[in-house]
Amino acid sequence: MIRVVLPAHLRNLARVESEVRIHVQGQVTQRSVLDALEARYPMLRGTIRDHVTQRRRPFVRFFACEQDLSHELPDTPLPEPVATGAEPFMVVGAMAGG
């Protein structure tokens, strides 16, 4: 069971109040986690990554185990604590400007 923490606006869109828990088949990577998340919450498709290119949206960042994983390749395995559910995979919506 993978724990995913979403920013408030995406939690509202998905109609969830706290972190979500999803099952991922096979290797736990950014791609597999986001695929499972979008399958369970179809209203999130296109909000975290582009529909066509599957690239992360510009102001969205990914964190896990106190590391910024935003620039990792989508098929790079996530840290073991994320794969076991001990630590969450965090999707953070960044803000531009000041």
Side-chain angles (χ1 to χ4, degrees), residues 5 18 21 23 35 39-40 43-44 52 77 80 86:
V5 175
S18 61
R21 295 174 185 260
H23 292 283
D35 286 347
R40 183 164 176 200
M43 66 285 286
L44 295 178
V52 177
E80 187 65 25

Side-chain angles (χ1 to χ4, degrees), residues 1-74:
M1 179 91 48
I2 307 300
R3 298 167 44 210
V4 180
V5 175
L6 297 169
H9 65 286
L10 293 182
R11 284 195 316 268
N12 288 338
L13 187 61
R15 296 185 179 144
V16 296
E17 295 183 15
S18 61
E19 73 180 22
V20 297
R21 295 174 185 260
I22 54 174
H23 292 283
V24 172
Q25 296 295 327
Q27 193 171 35
V28 179
T29 65
Q30 285 181 24
R31 185 185 315 273
S32 65
V33 168
L34 295 176
D35 286 347
L37 183 67
E38 290 174 350
R40 183 164 176 200
Y41 300 99
M43 66 285 286
L44 295 178
R45 288 186 186 138
T47 61
I48 298 171
R49 55 188 179 167
D50 183 85
H51 282 289
V52 177
T53 65
Q54 298 294 299
R55 288 188 181 168
R56 170 182 60 86
R57 294 281 181 191
F59 293 106
V60 173
R61 306 296 295 235
F62 303 132
F63 291 88
C65 302
E66 300 182 16
Q67 298 176 25
D68 185 350
L69 304 175
S70 304
H71 298 291
E72 296 290 325
L73 294 174

